[in-house]
Amino acid sequence: MTVDVTDVTIGYDGLPVLEDVDVHVGDGELLGLLGPNGSGKTSLLRAIDGLLEPTTGRVTVDGTDVQTLSREEIARRIGYLPQVEETTPSATVFDTVLLGRNPHFGWRPGEPDRRAVESVLDGLGIGDLAMREVPTLSGGQRRTVLLARALVGAGDALLLDEPTSGLDLKHQHEVLRHVRSAITNESLSGVVAIHDLDLATRFCDRYALLADGGVHAVGGDEVLTAETVERVYDVPVDVFTRDGQTHVVPADPDGNTIGSASVE
């Protein structure tokens, strides 16, 4: 499955947020949307999910324009975790995640749907919370439940807006490892808006760097140069590779890498 954003301009009340965006997400690929607050990451995810109609251009999922699909059809094809959930579900964790399967079954869920929920809950390390009421959970736990709901419903693509928000370091890595595995094993096209560049370089295949109303660069680690990152985020950085892993580290105003004593 693929996601293609072609010559897309999106905005609100006639004011563009992003212009002339071209992005391709391949089968089994996770694309990281990088950029400062207000750069258009959430708006682009909403456009891919069909919630925001482009002013120009089009968004397709496996060749189908999302604007031609009903919300039910989109829900069968795309799992979407928004940045902010408007309400906290008043149900058990299991039943809340099972809602993600609603577009895939008839008048009631079957055993495959229940097994899918159990598998996602176990994979995210929250299987022991299955019978807990969602409002009784911590903010980080609720965020993981909503991620599970998006994962269990994803048919073709998975869109995640800051999925690790509110999670500690251990659970950030556990969650993104499971996301990475699901995208690979289910041949999904994944797009994640993420602020932590080290997490992005660890789990994403490629990146789209957004700023100033457009896409500054799209590609793999080769686009994460100090010059490009500094231009996008307006902060001095040092980019280096250690043990085969790319790292982006803030530098102090004098250009010295913060924590440089640990850099080999």
Side-chain angles (χ1 to χ4, degrees):
M1 304 302 172
T2 61
V3 169
D4 286 283
V5 179
T6 307
D7 297 327
V8 160
T9 294
I10 49 178
Y12 302 90
D13 299 324
L15 298 176
V17 173
L18 286 169
E19 297 182 276
D20 304 324
V21 176
D22 283 287
V23 174
H24 170 81
V25 189
D27 188 321
E29 180 180 45
L30 180 59
L31 177 78
L33 295 184
L34 310 181
N37 292 334
S39 60
K41 299 186 297 295
T42 293
S43 295
L44 184 53
L45 288 174
R46 285 172 53 82
I48 296 172
D49 194 50
L51 295 169
L52 181 60
E53 185 175 0
T55 306
T56 63
R58 69 177 194 150
V59 178
T60 63
V61 175
D62 201 29
T64 302
D65 191 328
V66 296
Q67 289 298 319
T68 68
L69 300 173
S70 68
R71 289 311 305 171
E72 183 177 2
E73 289 171 321
I74 289 175
R76 279 198 296 268
R77 304 184 71 166
I78 299 175
Y80 177 43
L81 174 69
Q83 184 177 357
V84 177
E85 187 75 9
E86 294 182 0
T87 60
T88 299
S90 296
T92 66
V93 168
F94 189 94
D95 286 341
T96 298
V97 176
L98 187 60
L99 288 173
R101 294 295 306 168
N102 278 3
H104 299 273
F105 57 76
W107 66 282
R108 68 176 182 180
E111 189 58 30
D113 301 298
R114 297 182 181 279
R115 286 199 301 268
V117 171
E118 292 172 357
S119 176
V120 169
L121 292 178
D122 288 342
L124 290 172
I126 55 173
D128 59 325
L129 302 179
M131 294 299 106
R132 286 273 300 274
E133 295 288 325
V134 173
T136 70
L137 304 179
S138 70
Q141 289 171 329
R142 288 197 298 271
R143 188 70 174 159
T144 306
V145 170
L146 298 177
L147 169 61
R149 187 178 65 186
L151 274 165
V152 81
D156 297 335
L158 181 65
L159 310 178
L160 306 175
D161 199 345
E162 299 185 30
T164 58
S165 175
L167 303 182
D168 60 37
L169 184 62
K170 174 185 176 182
H171 289 96
Q172 287 177 2
H173 282 253
E174 288 181 351
V175 160
L176 287 178
R177 273 197 295 269
H178 186 77
V179 167
R180 172 72 269 177
S181 177
I183 286 172
T184 300
N185 294 338
E186 303 298 327
S187 297
L188 303 174
S189 297
V191 185
V192 56
I194 190 167
H195 280 299
D196 190 318
L197 299 189
D198 259 10
L199 283 176
T201 58
R202 184 174 296 273
F203 294 103
C204 295
D205 298 295
R206 294 188 305 125
Y207 324 97
L209 285 84
L210 311 181
D212 302 322
V215 179
H216 276 256
V218 178
D221 285 356
E222 75 278 359
V223 304
L224 293 182
T225 64
E227 179 183 6
T228 298
V229 175
E230 288 174 17
R231 187 166 65 248
V232 167
Y233 286 93
D234 193 27
V235 63
V237 297
D238 198 34
V239 180
F240 61 93
T241 300
R242 183 171 60 195
D243 297 329
Q245 178 67 40
T246 299
H247 297 275
V248 181
V249 181
D252 67 25
D254 296 324
N256 299 314
T257 301
I258 297 174
S260 58
S262 64
V263 178
E264 299 176 359

